[in-house]
Amino acid sequence: MIRFKLAEQIEKRQFQESRRITVQEVAEATGVNRMTLSKILNHKGYSTGTDILDRLCNYFSCRIEELIEHVPD
């Protein structure tokens, strides 16, 4: 299973910028639908495309392995 580490990336950016970052703000900055981000955050096993992963990596200035990880079933 692929596990998204989106919540961790949001928390890391909040700490770096010393302010709260909302899912809506991430959605607006990346062009990714807010519902898609909510599904990534809340639905175990959710699947998304590489274009969305690319946008999120760009927004958080992170590598793909900082955003997702493989967890054996």
Side-chain angles (χ1 to χ4, degrees):
M1 175 178 74
I2 300 297
R3 182 180 86 81
F4 291 96
K5 299 189 274 185
L6 180 57
E8 291 94 327
Q9 288 299 319
I10 291 172
E11 289 175 20
K12 181 179 172 182
R13 189 159 180 155
Q14 286 180 145
F15 180 78
Q16 291 170 340
E17 297 184 8
S18 298
R19 65 182 187 89
R20 180 157 162 57
I21 295 174
T22 65
V23 173
Q24 183 63 37
E25 180 181 341
V26 176
E28 290 171 0
T30 61
V32 176
N33 188 290
R34 190 187 63 76
M35 284 302 294
T36 300
L37 294 174
S38 291
K39 288 178 183 177
I40 289 171
L41 284 166
N42 300 313
H43 293 269
K44 186 177 179 178
Y46 182 75
S47 178
T48 192
T50 55
D51 60 323
I52 291 175
L53 296 175
D54 184 52
R55 291 181 202 180
L56 291 172
C57 285
N58 284 329
Y59 176 74
F60 290 111
S61 300
C62 70
R63 297 169 45 132
I64 191 72
E65 58 268 18
E66 295 174 279
L67 186 61
I68 63 172
E69 73 174 324
H70 176 258
V71 179
D73 289 334

